[in-house]
Amino acid sequence: MVSSNFQATEAGAAILTAGGSAADAAVAVASVLTVVEPYYSSVLGGDTWALYYDGGTRDVTSLNAVGPVGSKATLEDYTPRAGEYGMHQAILPGAWDGWMLWLRDHGELPLRQVLAPAIDIARAGYPVSSEMTFWLTQQEQDIRNSPQLSELYLRNGALVATGQAVTQPDLAATLEALATAYDDGAAAAGETTARHAAGIQAARDYFYRGPLAEAIVQYSDQFGGYLTLEDFARYEAELVAPISIDWADGIRVLQNPPNSQGIAMLQALNILKAEDWSGRSPAEPDVIHRQIEAVKLAFADRFAYVGDPDRTPVPVEELLSDDYADQLRGRIDMGSAAEWPIEAGLDRQSSDTTTFHVTDSEGNAAAVTTSLGGQFLVVGDTGIHINERMKFMSVDPGNVNVVAPGATVRHTSNPYMVLRNGRPYLLGGNTGVDTQPQAQLQQFMSVVAFGLEPQEAVAQPRFVSTAFPASIFPHPADNILHVETSFPPAGIADLRARGHNIAVGVGIFGTANMIELSEDGTVAQIGAEPRNQTASGVVVP
């Protein structure tokens, strides 16, 4: 298993050693990350897209744990506040219900045992990492304006520094209360075979139809948010079918369906798969240019067609067809960089984040990307850092991703899974808003097309295009190609000659983690983000 923080990786490994499944370990990892990386994700205040391979049935399901816009929201009220900090940026947090679905269907251990590492770390404290110092500095003014955040992250009037300890007693109490709800629900069920399911349902109800929903709605009402008790009471996460393409014989790439943006990665790969990549290198300018241009075409379609599928049908089958990929491939000019505006290919129809991956000895596998969106805001005395997903919606009434009560946001999270002859081959993800499908494509290509090992793949210098409207308000289309400082100078010069407007060392490059499995599933190779001080991976015997 591999994650962005060694304490989370250790927690997941301990759960696997104790007989837990990949689902149990994933929830343990996500819960610890909630404590030690509160600027990235939260099992309580955030949202999640994830993929799960069941080693018994060999089926893959996609977890859609993204809640809707609150029913009090209106475009008229939200628009003047679209760029402002506050509770009005929060959609209904869906992650907890999604995690409970995984434990209900795939879990082996009691909830208290799964949450124990996170509860212990929240109470005892943990050292501030350099990554956390960076994020706290970015959010310093909002921290100082919030009594809850000031108590957590200020010491004698100054931000906590790298190496100092942070405790989260309110969050520990909330996680403890959820574990107790599980215990009480399981005990009331009586019959042994029904206890786990009853306990999980009790933990779901405690959050969405009990004290936590009440606390979040009270805070939302107090500070101008849009959430209601009815929104919480009727919400349920979903297990849905993933979408996929065939890359080559026996190699199938799976992604999360809309409202996730994962379809953009699949579209770009579909454009690229007809090329002969043998003997090529990921550093070649031609290789990089072709990938960049494929990404731009995929993101143009994402902007035009991908939103809430319950409100605007998304033409998934057409977008992922081989015929359409052939059409888009013909639009790539190898000598010239396309710039926004880029037309979508089909006829128009009406109509901050962390990633980790787990496998277990039973052949189960989980690929997870879960997120808050970037805002530092704690709800009252619950200890819950709440999301800011409304910033990822449009205020343009004609956009498929427009703000509306009950709508679901076009979500940036999109971990991927690759099957080889029906069994897990690659589990991967990359954080960073619109960077995600682009960097994931680069890592997939590095391993599958160019033969690199996972650690080499995640260490490759990344490039990120912004030749399309960004997901976050005010949605600029900058037409800049961002590359890391380790990018080869000769490659930069070549790409500039083709018309790419390049910025070196500035951009959202995100963090990546991946696992590669042997054909029989017995050998795992791990790629842990070298840009991140705390990232780690482990293979549990």
Side-chain angles (χ1 to χ4, degrees):
M1 68 173 303
V2 62
S3 83
S4 59
N5 187 281
F6 68 95
Q7 290 174 286
T9 300
E10 290 170 357
I15 290 295
L16 291 177
T17 301
S21 66
D24 292 314
V27 177
V29 169
S31 299
V32 171
L33 291 174
T34 299
V35 179
V36 301
E37 293 184 350
Y39 41 89
Y40 280 154
S41 66
S42 171
V43 293
L44 302 175
D47 30 57
T48 297
W49 276 102
L51 295 164
Y52 196 86
Y53 177 89
D54 187 308
T57 65
R58 301 183 69 172
D59 291 333
V60 180
T61 52
S62 177
L63 175 62
N64 180 354
V66 179
V69 172
S71 58
K72 286 185 178 180
T74 65
L75 187 58
E76 293 72 24
D77 182 80
Y78 178 74
T79 298
R81 300 196 287 162
E84 298 175 3
Y85 170 91
M87 187 64 194
H88 64 288
Q89 298 289 7
I91 61 171
L92 188 140
W96 181 255
D97 206 56
W99 294 125
M100 293 304 98
L101 288 187
W102 267 19
L103 293 187
R104 182 197 69 187
D105 292 353
H106 306 292
E108 300 289 343
L109 303 179
L111 181 61
R112 182 174 296 279
Q113 186 172 354
V114 172
L115 295 182
I119 294 171
D120 291 345
I121 294 170
R123 282 184 176 146
Y126 58 93
V128 172
S129 66
S130 59
E131 286 82 9
M132 186 169 188
T133 300
F134 170 81
W135 284 104
L136 291 175
T137 302
Q138 299 300 304
Q139 302 285 342
E140 181 172 0
Q141 192 56 55
D142 292 331
I143 290 170
R144 292 187 178 281
N145 291 339
S146 164
Q148 293 90 355
L149 291 171
S150 294
E151 185 176 352
L152 286 173
Y153 302 119
L154 294 183
R155 301 288 184 275
N156 299 319
L159 289 174
V160 289
T162 301
Q164 286 188 288
V166 169
T167 60
Q168 296 196 51
D170 287 344
L171 178 57
T174 293
L175 292 171
E176 177 73 34
L178 287 161
T180 299
Y182 172 96
D183 293 342
D184 292 344
E191 195 178 329
T192 303
T193 56
R195 286 180 183 173
H196 182 65
I200 290 297
Q201 187 58 51
R204 296 171 76 186
D205 289 341
Y206 188 90
F207 190 104
Y208 291 95
R209 287 160 283 279
L212 290 180
E214 292 168 2
I216 295 170
V217 169
Q218 181 181 16
Y219 189 89
S220 180
D221 287 343
Q222 182 179 357
F223 293 101
Y226 299 126
L227 303 174
T228 70
L229 289 175
E230 292 74 19
D231 294 334
F232 277 87
R234 61 174 169 253
Y235 175 72
E236 290 188 356
E238 295 181 280
L239 297 173
V240 298
I243 57 176
S244 64
I245 62 161
D246 290 320
W247 169 261
D249 288 345
I251 305 294
R252 192 161 187 81
V253 189
L254 295 94
Q255 260 288 359
N256 303 276
N259 54 305
S260 167
Q261 69 168 343
I263 192 172
M265 177 187 177
L266 296 185
Q267 266 197 274
L269 285 176
N270 230 17
I271 295 169
L272 296 169
K273 72 181 183 182
E275 183 84 0
D276 181 5
W277 300 103
S278 57
R280 309 292 293 275
S281 161
E284 291 178 30
D286 273 1
V287 168
I288 295 166
H289 176 80
R290 191 175 291 277
Q291 290 180 79
I292 293 166
E293 297 306 293
V295 161
K296 291 176 183 177
L297 293 169
F299 270 84
D301 282 348
R302 185 205 70 165
F303 176 75
Y305 307 120
V306 179
D308 181 350
D310 291 334
R311 293 172 180 260
T312 303
V314 182
V316 172
E317 186 174 347
E318 294 94 326
L319 291 172
L320 295 182
S321 72
D322 286 342
D323 287 345
Y324 185 54
D326 290 342
Q327 175 188 329
L328 292 180
R329 193 177 304 115
R331 294 174 58 187
I332 294 178
D333 183 341
M334 290 301 294
S336 178
E339 291 190 347
W340 186 263
I342 299 169
E343 287 297 320
L346 297 176
D347 291 335
R348 284 270 184 175
Q349 302 178 27
S350 57
S351 40
D352 293 11
T353 304
T354 192
T355 185
F356 62 88
H357 316 290
V358 184
T359 63
D360 65 26
S361 61
E362 301 300 316
N364 305 305
V368 179
T369 302
T370 183
S371 180
L372 277 175
Q375 175 170 260
F376 255 38
L377 179 62
V378 173
V379 176
D381 61 1
T382 65
I384 297 173
H385 287 70
I386 200 75
N387 70 83
E388 62 163 359
R389 276 291 155 188
M390 292 284 284
K391 273 191 176 180
F392 293 70
M393 301 192 80
S394 175
V395 294
D396 175 3
N399 191 280
V400 294
N401 189 41
V402 67
V403 168
T408 52
V409 62
R410 178 174 62 219
H411 206 278
T412 52
S413 295
N414 62 109
Y416 68 95
M417 182 180 294
V418 183
L419 302 183
R420 178 168 50 192
N421 299 321
R423 295 183 180 278
Y425 169 29
L426 295 177
L427 311 174
N430 200 107
T431 69
V433 198
D434 298 324
T435 299
Q436 294 183 47
Q438 305 186 58
Q440 290 171 183
L441 177 143
Q442 293 165 51
Q443 289 140 27
F444 170 92
M445 294 286 291
S446 289
V447 173
V448 180
F450 307 126
L452 274 61
E453 294 185 351
Q455 192 60 52
E456 295 174 306
V458 299
Q460 284 291 301
R462 291 175 196 149
F463 50 88
V464 179
S465 174
T466 60
F468 47 82
S471 286
I472 298 179
F473 181 86
H475 316 292
D478 294 330
N479 282 315
I480 295 173
L481 178 63
H482 300 269
V483 301
E484 292 189 281
T485 52
S486 55
F487 210 82
I492 292 173
D494 183 287
L495 293 169
R496 279 184 170 143
R498 302 181 200 225
H500 293 279
N501 180 17
I502 296 180
V504 180
V506 179
I508 300 174
F509 300 108
T511 59
N513 293 300
M514 68 188 305
I515 297 175
E516 179 183 4
L517 294 165
S518 62
E519 291 204 47
D520 62 3
T522 61
V523 179
Q525 292 191 75
I526 290 167
E529 178 56 76
R531 300 161 184 80
N532 189 329
Q533 177 193 27
T534 58
S536 73
V538 63
V539 178
V540 180

